[in-house]
Amino acid sequence: MKGLGADPEIRAFFDEPTNTVTYLVWDSGSRHGVAIDPVLDFDPASGEVNDGSIVELLAAAEAEGITIDWVLETHIHADHLSGAPLIKARTGARIAIGEHVREVQNIFRPIFGAADVKAEGGDFDRLLSDGEVIEVGGLTIEVIHTPGHTPACVSYRIGSAVFVGDTLFMPDYGTARTDFPGGDARSLYRSIHKLLALPPETRLFMCHDYKAPGREEFAWETTVAEQKRANPHVHDGVGEHEFVSMREGRDAKLPMPKLLYPAIQVNIRAGRLPPAGANGRRYLVIPLEEETPA
């Protein structure tokens, strides 16, 4: 992995309806920065989408005099719709994601009949490979491929901070599920240990928090040292076989995320809503699981 560059300024925006953290990250000198994992507000009961969370983020950027150059997605999210296209439309920022997004698109394009999804990840402005670097002002952003939750997951290392997506949760909560198509518990274990090999003081920023039992406040920042000491799934001494057995057993009992189908079909399009039908309205679809009659 690359050496440490300048440390960024970081502001977190927590979206309680989806338990998602969006980050505004910038270089204090140049005032250039990035948005990581932005949320589009969506009410599944009414079908209403709105830009409230994006407006809040952009207002904060304007107040700080920040130019957003990139929107960085850690993966194709299954629990919120991405607001990346709104940021792009209003700032000119480009949208980037890990290059293995092609695998995720190939899985879900036929499930949703999403023939409009562009080939080879073309809905995104840039596909990022492991070890690739983006320069933003005085910041050096290193891409770390961290598959397991999905095959396309990446983490972003910026100075002494790493934005880990769904690879890890807070040390009192554990690790990400691996039962989505293309997920793999063994790969997740190895990805986590790639991150835990970083210096112990490295700051880790989560994409989600669900408040572990006994904790009163939402939290999203921890360290490598704290994960190695306290994470119930991957603390020091937990081996790969033990982790895989635990993770696969746990995943088998988890319910599907509430926004799974809306989120994935939007996010494989880089946050673009599905095209309008013949009547001019857009629709999100729910594939049915049909039992074959005896």
Side-chain angles (χ1 to χ4, degrees):
M1 293 183 180
K2 311 293 183 184
L4 293 178
D7 277 338
E9 300 288 335
I10 301 168
R11 179 168 171 183
F13 301 81
F14 186 72
D15 181 61
E16 191 165 349
T18 63
N19 296 93
T20 301
V21 190
T22 297
Y23 294 99
L24 178 62
V25 183
W26 72 95
D27 168 39
S28 59
S30 68
R31 315 306 286 181
H32 281 258
V34 301
I36 300 177
D37 292 333
V39 173
L40 176 69
D41 297 316
F42 171 63
D43 177 16
S46 66
E48 179 186 359
V49 294
N50 70 74
D51 62 357
S53 292
I54 299 303
V55 167
E56 181 184 5
L57 182 146
L58 293 179
E62 183 177 7
E64 292 284 352
I66 299 163
T67 299
I68 300 176
D69 293 337
W70 289 94
V71 180
L72 304 178
E73 300 281 12
T74 55
H75 63 294
I76 297 294
H77 305 277
D79 37 33
H80 70 269
L81 280 60
S82 172
L86 292 183
I87 298 176
K88 178 177 179 177
R90 297 175 190 184
T91 69
R94 292 184 287 168
I95 306 171
I97 197 169
E99 63 180 343
H100 293 277
V101 69
R102 301 183 190 100
E103 299 173 35
V104 179
Q105 290 175 316
N106 288 340
I107 291 169
F108 287 106
R109 185 186 287 110
I111 292 175
F112 294 112
D116 62 292
V117 171
K118 296 178 183 178
E120 296 300 308
D123 284 289
F124 296 88
D125 296 304
R126 183 166 168 179
L127 302 185
L128 303 167
S129 59
D130 186 40
E132 191 168 348
V133 167
I134 296 174
E135 303 286 349
V136 175
L139 300 179
T140 298
I141 304 173
E142 180 191 0
V143 180
I144 306 172
H145 185 213
T146 47
H149 175 60
T150 81
C153 289
V154 295
S155 299
Y156 297 105
R157 187 186 186 194
I158 311 175
S160 63
V162 182
F163 300 84
V164 302
D166 285 9
T167 303
L168 282 162
F169 294 128
M170 291 297 289
D172 56 359
Y173 199 87
T175 57
R177 65 194 301 163
T178 60
D179 58 327
F180 298 146
D184 180 73
R186 199 168 302 278
S187 295
L188 181 64
Y189 180 87
R190 294 172 183 176
S191 293
I192 289 170
H193 278 268
K194 188 188 296 188
L195 297 176
L196 297 185
L198 294 169
E201 67 275 12
T202 301
R203 302 161 69 195
L204 303 179
F205 292 86
M206 312 295 107
C207 185
H208 299 286
D209 188 56
Y210 302 95
K211 284 198 296 192
R215 174 154 53 86
E216 296 298 322
E217 302 293 332
F218 290 109
W220 43 80
E221 180 182 350
T222 181
T223 65
V224 165
E226 187 62 14
Q227 291 282 6
K228 293 174 73 173
R229 184 191 70 80
N231 190 299
H233 298 172
V234 288
H235 60 76
D236 282 343
V238 175
E240 184 172 312
H241 178 76
E242 179 184 355
F243 174 83
V244 170
S245 178
M246 176 281 301
R247 189 67 266 172
E248 291 180 346
R250 184 180 177 90
D251 289 345
K253 302 173 185 176
L254 292 176
M256 286 294 102
K258 290 183 293 185
L259 295 184
L260 175 69
Y261 288 137
I264 290 179
Q265 62 193 284
V266 168
N267 295 339
I268 61 172
R269 295 174 164 98
R272 177 171 56 84
L273 298 177
N279 64 355
R281 298 196 66 174
R282 302 179 191 273
Y283 292 89
L284 296 171
V285 300
I286 301 177
L288 297 179
E289 298 291 338
E290 299 181 75
E291 294 186 6
T292 304

